[in-house]
Amino acid sequence: VELGAGLGLLSCTAALLGSKSVFCTDGDGCTLKMAKRNAEALIAANPDLSPINVRLLRWGQGDEATVIPGGHADVIVASDVLYVLGNPGAWGALLRTLLSLSGPETLIFLTYTDRGHGKYFEKFRARASAHFHIIESPPHLLHPTCDPNHVDRIEKTSGVVRIFCLSLKQKLETAADLVV
């Protein structure tokens, strides 16, 4: 599942890499129309690929179950979605959506680019850590253009790109689940 897909680049890439099912979501209907056209063009050129399911999803609205019929995502990707300062509830809504779409085996890959709102991100990260294990990818493993000072970087005005992997913390159902 791709959240905040925009034009659907990650969804198209997932299909090209052999994902069995791909769900491309965004909360903006106009943007989603462009993502759908991109997905349709890719599938038309590569008919053996799994279909890309393009769906409207507004975070935290409770309609996450309509995105993945019958279950949780294996992988969730959300690239460059943590920037909405004009909508202070968006990050909480994103967290609710991640929780709804996650199961015990789900891996979430989330990017964050600092554009001057690091304190909001740290609040989001603290809230998320109550529910998820969070590991940051070490900078030396990232592509060199993630560094804002790299000569080949296109977007020169934003900060360092950071990538996080999240997995749901297991909840103990009863005291009998405790291992002593």
Side-chain angles (χ1 to χ4, degrees), residues 29-46:
C30 292
T31 302
L32 211 55
K33 287 178 188 176
M34 291 184 279
K36 185 172 176 70
R37 282 195 298 253
N38 288 337
E40 288 170 347
L42 177 68
I43 299 302
N46 301 276

Side-chain angles (χ1 to χ4, degrees), residues 8-9 11-17 36-50 52:
L9 176 62
S11 294
C12 290
T13 302
L16 283 168
L17 291 174
K36 185 172 176 70
R37 282 195 298 253
N38 288 337
E40 288 170 347
L42 177 68
I43 299 302
N46 301 276
D48 293 336
L49 295 180
S50 295
I52 299 172

Side-chain angles (χ1 to χ4, degrees), residues 21-154:
S21 62
V22 178
F23 295 89
C24 174
T25 71
D26 201 286
D28 181 299
C30 292
T31 302
L32 211 55
K33 287 178 188 176
M34 291 184 279
K36 185 172 176 70
R37 282 195 298 253
N38 288 337
E40 288 170 347
L42 177 68
I43 299 302
N46 301 276
D48 293 336
L49 295 180
S50 295
I52 299 172
N53 302 284
V54 180
R55 308 252 169 92
L56 182 69
L57 177 63
R58 293 196 171 92
W59 300 340
Q61 304 269 321
D63 56 352
E64 290 85 355
T66 64
V67 173
I68 305 174
H72 297 110
D74 293 326
V75 176
I76 299 170
V77 292
S79 177
D80 204 24
V81 298
L82 294 169
Y83 60 86
V84 186
L85 289 178
N87 182 358
W91 293 21
L94 172 61
L95 182 56
R96 287 191 301 278
T97 295
L98 292 172
L99 285 165
S100 285
L101 294 174
S102 295
E105 304 296 319
T106 303
L107 287 179
I108 301 167
F109 295 94
L110 178 72
T111 69
Y112 171 71
T113 303
D114 190 3
R115 293 184 174 91
H117 48 275
K119 68 179 181 178
Y120 296 108
F121 174 71
E122 291 307 324
K123 285 182 183 179
F124 171 82
R125 189 172 171 182
R127 287 180 63 199
S129 69
H131 307 283
F132 295 99
H133 298 285
I134 303 173
I135 297 174
E136 183 171 1
S137 179
H140 72 276
L141 295 178
L142 303 179
H143 192 277
T145 58
C146 289
D147 181 339
N149 298 316
H150 192 275
V151 67
D152 293 331
R153 178 140 178 186
I154 295 170

